[in-house]
């Protein structure tokens, strides 16, 4: 009995070790990043850059802060906008999602979520005859904040495993 338990434990340890080695990709150096106004935490796969710029959401001018990192031409980004009214944040999420899909001339399929945006996957070519891009995104309104959490890059370069690591790490605070 003890020998079987030892063998089973050894097998599990070897399997976990093999999985962790497979998960260690030197290109991806995951780190926790915190945003504010509205607040969030997320894991990014490389050193992030952050910038704030004014955008127009259906006639309303707001400041969007983008925090992003890039690995092999694939962008991992969180766009965050703070509103005075939670209703505005909910409306903005749908607009943000539509704009992202239009940016790649894409066709989207929902992956789940709520009426406030949810999760999508879209593919399209930003330029006629150009390479096909893949967008995997999570769009959410929480309180007065609206968020777009996206992975975007050439379709052949986007790793669904790395996208899942990024997207599931997002936490609006």
């Amino acid at each position: 009995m003890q020998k079987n338990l030892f063998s089973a434990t050894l097998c599990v340890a070897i399997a976990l070790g093999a999985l962790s080695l497979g998960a260690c990709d030197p290109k991806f150096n995951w780190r926790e990043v915190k945003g504010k106004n509205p607040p969030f935490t997320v894991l990014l796969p490389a050193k992030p850059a952050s910038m704030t710029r004014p955008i127009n959401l259906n006639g309303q001018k707001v400041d969007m802060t983008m925090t992003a990192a890039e690995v092999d031409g694939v962008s991992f980004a969180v766009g965050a906008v703070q509103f005075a009214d939670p209703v505005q944040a909910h409306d903005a999420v749908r607009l943000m999602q539509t704009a992202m899909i239009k940016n790649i001339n894409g066709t989207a399929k929902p992956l789940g979520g709520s009426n406030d945006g949810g999760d999508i996957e879209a593919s399209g070519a930003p330029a006629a005859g150009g390479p096909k891009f893949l967008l995997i995104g999570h769009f959410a309104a929480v309180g007065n904040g609206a968020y777009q959490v996206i992975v975007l890059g050439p379709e052949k370069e986007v790793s669904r495993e790395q996208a899942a690591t990024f997207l599931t790490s997002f936490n609006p605070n």
Side-chain angles (χ1 to χ4, degrees), residues 7-20:
S7 295
T9 304
L10 182 60
C11 287
V12 169
I14 290 170
L16 288 175
L19 283 174
S20 67

Side-chain angles (χ1 to χ4, degrees), residues 25 27-28 30 43-49 67-78 132-137 149-164 166-167:
D25 187 332
K27 292 187 276 188
F28 292 88
W30 294 99
L43 291 175
L44 283 168
K47 185 175 180 181
T67 303
E70 185 177 309
V71 175
D72 289 342
V74 177
S75 296
F76 298 76
V78 177
K132 199 168 195 176
F133 273 63
L134 179 64
L135 164 70
I136 303 172
V149 185
I150 61 157
V151 176
L152 175 66
E155 194 168 50
K156 293 178 181 177
E157 298 297 324
V158 175
S159 160
R160 291 182 187 283
E161 180 183 348
Q162 302 301 341
F166 169 67
L167 292 167

Side-chain angles (χ1 to χ4, degrees), residues 19-161:
L19 283 174
S20 67
L21 287 175
C24 293
D25 187 332
K27 292 187 276 188
F28 292 88
N29 183 8
W30 294 99
R31 64 204 62 214
E32 184 176 80
V33 176
K34 295 180 184 283
K36 47 188 167 187
N37 297 329
F40 65 88
T41 57
V42 71
L43 291 175
L44 283 168
K47 185 175 180 181
S50 190
M51 66 177 261
T52 301
R53 68 180 190 121
I55 63 168
N56 184 335
L57 284 174
N58 203 27
Q60 182 176 359
K61 294 189 185 211
V62 295
D63 288 333
M64 176 181 270
T65 299
M66 292 294 292
T67 303
E70 185 177 309
V71 175
D72 289 342
V74 177
S75 296
F76 298 76
V78 177
V81 181
Q82 182 82 35
F83 291 92
D85 180 0
V87 172
Q88 293 172 308
H90 289 272
D91 292 342
V93 167
R94 286 186 290 281
L95 296 170
M96 292 162 71
Q97 187 181 75
T98 300
M100 289 303 302
I101 295 166
K102 279 185 178 180
N103 284 345
I104 63 167
N105 296 317
T107 303
K109 67 177 180 179
L111 299 175
S114 68
N115 292 334
D116 299 330
D119 300 335
I120 63 157
E121 183 174 301
S123 61
K132 199 168 195 176
F133 273 63
L134 179 64
L135 164 70
I136 303 172
H138 171 71
F139 298 82
V142 178
N144 293 0
Y147 302 92
Q148 65 181 27
V149 185
I150 61 157
V151 176
L152 175 66
E155 194 168 50
K156 293 178 181 177
E157 298 297 324
V158 175
S159 160
R160 291 182 187 283
E161 180 183 348

